[in-house]
Amino acid sequence: MMRFACLAGLAVALIVSSCNRDDTITTDSPPRILLDDPSGVYTVKTGRELEIAPRYEYAGYASFCWTQEGRVIGTEPTLLYRAGSVGTAFVRIEVTASGGTACEELRIETVELEIPVVSLPEAGRECTIAAGSELRLSPAVARTSIPTRYVWSVDGREVSDECNYTFRSDETGTFRLRFTASNDDGETSVETSVKVCAPDELPFSWSFAATEYRMAAGRTIRLTPLDIARTQGVVFTWTQEGAVLQQGAEPALCFASSEQGIHRVVVTASGGEGESSFTVSQELTVEVCAPEGTYRRPCTAASSAVAARVYEYLPAPGQFVNENYSAGTMAEACAWAERQLAKPNAFVSLGAFGGRIVVGFDHSVGCTGGYDLAIGGNSFATSSEPGIVYVMQDENGDGLPNDTWYELKGSEYGKSSTWQEYAVTYYRPTAPGMGVAWRDNRGGSGTVDYLNFHTQDTYYPAWVDSESYTLRGTRLEARNYFDGQDWINPPYEWGYADNFSSVDRPDDDPNVEAAANVNRFRIADAVRFDGRPAQLRYVDFVMVQTGVQAESGNLGESSTEVCDFRDCNCQE
């Protein structure tokens, strides 16, 4: 923008205004314009009024003219400018007095109103809970440059002025909940309803991680419904070709067979009485494959010690997701991840809890009893973001990771603070620059906060088409804390990727520059669903998942980073 003082006609004014007083020639000074904002740049929001009130010197009996694109918009010393649509406008003020004429040009930026944008997963639908239980509600609200106020109300009665709210009722019935986020620019409200039932009146629901399973002959796997909303009084019946395999309150079935081929198993849940009775069924198929070793691919002189391919890259939302790359499909996301892993000291971020990457080798990685795998991360003394490691054999020989995953047991395995089958559902934000709301299968909720120093519109993976997606796995207890100056993410003892372990890292380098450093893993630590050793002689695929759900202030979410997958015993 060019600001200038206009002195047109000043010479004439000097001559005209000069006079002879006692043989002394005097001259009136030209007017001066002193803008109330010295930068000459003003900002106003759409639909609002902006008062521009300069100060003037030597402007007695002056005339004032405000113009925009040659059109007069004011003739007073002060201009009341009403903003229209978003954009830039240039306004000129011209002051004429006895000493001459002065002018200034100023710029007005009209910007959008910052009305809060709200994303609440439960909005517009009815939630059902048992009397006496809790429902935690955690809306995501886009950050604005002005303070935001929050109000929760239940059936019209205000109950909280916090963003997050936990609803609980010992009485049955349906309650209407309303959340309002407001600031000086406006407000946004969303509503949901909560139906509170007696425990034996809860509607039955369940889910399944898969409906097709594969296993090597002679092995045992667990088939189980997940996220069961009601278990009281429910009977689970497992049948195969009409024959009852198991019946009772236990929902899971341990399936074992040495007979190769496709086995069809049906689980039926039934319960309730009278009008509230129900019966639902789900068919599952289990392919019993050839015995272990049938499809093993030995390491040869031509084999690469480094993982050859990325089969899946599905991060949870996180601050490095969608940043500096574009992927519209899973294939494009995997191709990008492969390119990253091929670069020195380049990382692939898995985002918040459950974010995962699946890689495969061009040979089978053998189990030696010692360290067999090395996975690079960027941990250092105060920054460990542990990733759970899983391994898989190509049991059906099709070259794809569609068989049985086995977790590699780490130091936290089996502790009461470690949760198996933990699941988190992430919801697409409703506007750019918003945190991502999430809800888990244990009644928890929260947001993956958006950090304003990042530039991508959203942390929600661009190649996920659905409005929400669920990630499931083992969750470790978060250890992050703020020490008064910095956020600290302490290490776990051993057994996790991107973890500053004193046990499974190969050296004592403090890694103060957060460069690539590895953790090593034993295939012998692979466990079955019941914690017993899986006794795998080799593996073909490796998966890493972020193992914690935690936020660390200006550091953002805890997210496992990986940079390398290597067979420790393969000589290149």
Side-chain angles (χ1 to χ4, degrees), residues 286-335:
V286 181
E287 180 184 1
V288 178
C289 306
E292 179 185 16
T294 302
Y295 302 109
R296 182 171 185 169
R297 299 165 299 148
C299 181
T300 68
S303 299
S304 172
V306 179
R309 180 178 171 186
V310 174
Y311 288 87
E312 183 181 23
Y313 174 47
L314 183 59
Q319 60 185 298
F320 300 110
V321 176
N322 302 327
E323 185 177 59
N324 300 323
Y325 67 90
S326 176
T329 65
M330 177 61 75
E332 292 173 352
C334 290

Side-chain angles (χ1 to χ4, degrees), residues 208 210 212-213 221-225 238 246 250-255 265 284-286 529:
F208 293 83
E212 297 180 0
Y213 299 82
I221 62 173
R222 181 177 60 180
L223 307 176
T224 183
W238 289 86
Q246 178 180 295
E250 170 57 48
L253 172 72
C254 295
F255 183 87
V265 180
L284 309 175
T285 62
V286 181
F529 58 87

Side-chain angles (χ1 to χ4, degrees), residues 199-336:
D200 59 353
E201 294 177 347
L202 278 175
F204 180 83
S205 63
W206 60 6
S207 66
F208 293 83
T211 57
E212 297 180 0
Y213 299 82
R214 296 167 185 85
M215 54 180 272
R219 292 232 174 97
T220 301
I221 62 173
R222 181 177 60 180
L223 307 176
T224 183
L226 302 168
D227 307 326
I228 302 171
R230 169 184 171 183
T231 57
Q232 183 175 330
V234 179
V235 175
F236 297 90
T237 303
W238 289 86
T239 60
Q240 183 177 4
E241 297 179 356
V244 175
L245 302 178
Q246 178 180 295
Q247 188 174 55
E250 170 57 48
L253 172 72
C254 295
F255 183 87
S257 178
S258 296
E259 182 182 346
Q260 296 181 39
I262 301 297
H263 299 257
R264 302 187 186 280
V265 180
V266 176
V267 55
T268 300
S270 58
E273 297 180 354
E275 294 183 358
S276 63
S277 64
F278 66 90
T279 299
V280 293
S281 297
Q282 176 65 54
E283 180 180 277
L284 309 175
T285 62
V286 181
E287 180 184 1
V288 178
C289 306
E292 179 185 16
T294 302
Y295 302 109
R296 182 171 185 169
R297 299 165 299 148
C299 181
T300 68
S303 299
S304 172
V306 179
R309 180 178 171 186
V310 174
Y311 288 87
E312 183 181 23
Y313 174 47
L314 183 59
Q319 60 185 298
F320 300 110
V321 176
N322 302 327
E323 185 177 59
N324 300 323
Y325 67 90
S326 176
T329 65
M330 177 61 75
E332 292 173 352
C334 290
W336 173 83

Side-chain angles (χ1 to χ4, degrees), residues 134-456:
E134 295 182 342
L135 175 65
R136 180 174 170 80
L137 299 161
S138 301
V141 181
R143 292 183 180 180
T144 63
S145 64
I146 51 180
T148 301
R149 301 174 293 275
Y150 308 113
V151 173
W152 278 98
S153 64
V154 176
D155 290 340
R157 178 176 58 88
E158 291 188 9
V159 294
S160 175
D161 60 1
E162 300 291 332
C163 185
N164 298 330
Y165 174 64
T166 300
F167 174 83
R168 174 191 169 99
S169 175
D170 294 323
E171 299 181 1
T172 60
T174 300
F175 300 83
R176 181 174 59 86
L177 277 64
R178 182 182 180 89
F179 172 73
T180 300
S182 64
N183 59 23
D184 291 344
D185 282 357
E187 68 175 40
T188 300
S189 296
V190 292
E191 291 189 357
T192 185
S193 61
V194 181
K195 183 178 181 180
V196 181
C197 302
D200 59 353
E201 294 177 347
L202 278 175
F204 180 83
S205 63
W206 60 6
S207 66
F208 293 83
T211 57
E212 297 180 0
Y213 299 82
R214 296 167 185 85
M215 54 180 272
R219 292 232 174 97
T220 301
I221 62 173
R222 181 177 60 180
L223 307 176
T224 183
L226 302 168
D227 307 326
I228 302 171
R230 169 184 171 183
T231 57
Q232 183 175 330
V234 179
V235 175
F236 297 90
T237 303
W238 289 86
T239 60
Q240 183 177 4
E241 297 179 356
V244 175
L245 302 178
Q246 178 180 295
Q247 188 174 55
E250 170 57 48
L253 172 72
C254 295
F255 183 87
S257 178
S258 296
E259 182 182 346
Q260 296 181 39
I262 301 297
H263 299 257
R264 302 187 186 280
V265 180
V266 176
V267 55
T268 300
S270 58
E273 297 180 354
E275 294 183 358
S276 63
S277 64
F278 66 90
T279 299
V280 293
S281 297
Q282 176 65 54
E283 180 180 277
L284 309 175
T285 62
V286 181
E287 180 184 1
V288 178
C289 306
E292 179 185 16
T294 302
Y295 302 109
R296 182 171 185 169
R297 299 165 299 148
C299 181
T300 68
S303 299
S304 172
V306 179
R309 180 178 171 186
V310 174
Y311 288 87
E312 183 181 23
Y313 174 47
L314 183 59
Q319 60 185 298
F320 300 110
V321 176
N322 302 327
E323 185 177 59
N324 300 323
Y325 67 90
S326 176
T329 65
M330 177 61 75
E332 292 173 352
C334 290
W336 173 83
E338 282 185 8
R339 293 193 298 270
Q340 282 293 101
L341 295 177
K343 301 174 184 176
N345 287 320
F347 300 97
V348 175
S349 178
L350 305 185
F353 171 81
R356 64 182 183 244
I357 188 170
V358 177
V359 304
F361 292 82
D362 63 5
H363 63 282
S364 299
V365 180
C367 176
T368 65
Y371 289 122
D372 306 304
L373 294 165
I375 301 175
N378 63 348
S379 65
F380 51 94
T382 60
S383 179
S384 289
E385 300 173 289
I388 312 295
V389 181
Y390 303 81
V391 293
M392 175 187 287
Q393 287 182 352
D394 187 8
E395 295 172 304
N396 64 355
D398 67 354
L400 298 174
N402 54 12
D403 304 282
T404 305
W405 285 113
Y406 295 91
E407 183 177 339
L408 295 189
K409 179 175 62 176
S411 58
E412 308 308 296
Y413 187 87
K415 294 184 178 181
S416 60
S417 58
T418 300
W419 297 345
Q420 304 290 329
E421 291 296 347
Y422 179 66
V424 176
T425 300
Y426 297 96
Y427 299 86
R428 186 189 303 277
T430 54
M434 290 187 67
V436 179
W438 58 264
R439 172 166 293 285
D440 68 23
N441 61 346
R442 290 179 171 241
S445 62
T447 58
V448 180
D449 294 336
Y450 186 90
L451 305 178
N452 288 336
F453 53 81
H454 287 282
T455 58
Q456 70 271 48

